[in-house]
Amino acid sequence: MTVHTYRQGNEIVITIPAEFKVEANKDYQPTILPDGTIKFIPEDSPFPDIWNDDPKDIAAFNQEIGSLDDGANYGRENVEY
């Protein structure tokens, strides 16, 4: 399936296929990810988007709470021996 963008005034509009069953007149927060993916998060979502936080924000938060985590993944965090 492919959707097409079009200009409406000063905005670019993308249609959403009816089979996605998105309700009309709902508010979404748009986010563009580093790979160019556009993500729309419902404003009334009970879940924060923690998976795409800026690594600098994560490091600042860790420092603020006194975490010694250096933010690097070493590849063995969830391995049982």
Side-chain angles (χ1 to χ4, degrees):
M1 167 188 326
T2 301
V3 295
H4 185 76
T5 62
Y6 62 92
R7 181 173 296 279
Q8 183 175 338
N10 291 330
E11 298 180 350
I12 301 297
V13 178
I14 299 175
T15 57
I16 300 174
E19 61 224 40
F20 285 10
K21 296 181 175 39
V22 174
E23 294 180 38
N25 299 314
K26 289 194 73 165
D27 293 324
Y28 289 83
Q29 181 177 353
T31 305
I32 189 158
L33 303 180
D35 68 356
T37 300
I38 301 172
K39 181 172 164 182
F40 292 92
I41 304 167
E43 283 289 326
D44 58 359
S45 174
F47 306 107
D49 181 24
I50 62 170
W51 304 112
N52 294 299
D53 288 346
D54 185 333
K56 292 177 186 174
D57 293 340
I58 295 169
F61 175 76
N62 285 341
Q63 185 175 21
E64 181 181 318
I65 64 170
S67 173
L68 299 177
D69 183 2
D70 65 3
N73 292 326
Y74 294 96
R76 296 184 163 224
E77 287 83 357
N78 297 317
V79 176
E80 291 185 28
Y81 291 96

